[in-house]
Amino acid sequence: MTVRSVVFLGSAALVAVIGAVIFFAGNDERAATGPGELLASVTVPPLSGPAAAGEELFAKTCATCHGVNAAGRAGQGPPLVHVIYEPGHHADGAFYLAVAQGVRQHHWTFGNMPAVAGVSSEDISRIVAYVRTLQRANGIR
């Protein structure tokens, strides 16, 4: 291997490492905020029907980890008003399964989500209506 090849490969590796550090640091919102701080700015539209009922249920059962208005909480849980949770990637059924069975950590570094006891299917429907309403109001379709 020539000196030129070694320098080129070393430079390419360095660029890849720097890029990975920048990418992962930018995606770990907990690194940039203090514990418990909200991770996203969420516009809340006027709510009615199931979404309005879901807001109250979300506040009681989900906000401790997922933050007020599903904005996420540093050190606790991810924002649900985020493109990762758009319906095409996480269908409504994913929310039902998450509540009933919990979720293994996969998109974020908050750890596993435990199952949430005492939340009925009707409650989850209202919570999903609330989260989807927030998502649409914030450009997530």
Side-chain angles (χ1 to χ4, degrees):
M1 188 177 275
T2 67
V3 171
R4 186 180 211 182
S5 296
V6 170
V7 169
F8 175 77
L9 291 174
S11 297
L14 181 60
V15 168
V17 168
I18 291 171
V21 167
I22 291 169
F23 176 79
F24 288 110
N27 282 326
D28 186 1
E29 284 116 357
R30 294 180 307 160
T33 58
E37 288 183 34
L38 296 179
L39 299 176
S41 176
V42 176
T43 298
V44 180
L47 301 169
S48 62
E55 178 182 31
E56 186 177 325
L57 291 164
F58 186 92
K60 289 179 184 175
T61 59
C62 311
T64 299
C65 295
H66 291 288
V68 174
N69 300 319
R73 287 190 63 217
Q76 300 296 313
L80 299 177
V81 179
H82 190 283
V83 69
I84 286 177
Y85 299 102
E86 69 182 348
H89 190 256
H90 283 87
D92 293 355
F95 288 90
Y96 288 87
L97 288 173
V99 172
Q101 300 175 5
V103 179
R104 294 187 103 182
Q105 173 181 301
H106 56 288
H107 289 298
W108 307 88
T109 58
F110 293 100
N112 297 336
M113 175 185 155
V116 182
V119 183
S120 71
S121 291
E122 293 81 20
D123 290 345
I124 298 169
S125 292
R126 292 177 183 106
I127 291 168
V128 170
Y130 170 64
V131 170
R132 295 299 190 210
T133 299
L134 291 175
Q135 289 175 340
R136 285 189 300 275
N138 289 273
I140 299 167
R141 307 264 175 222

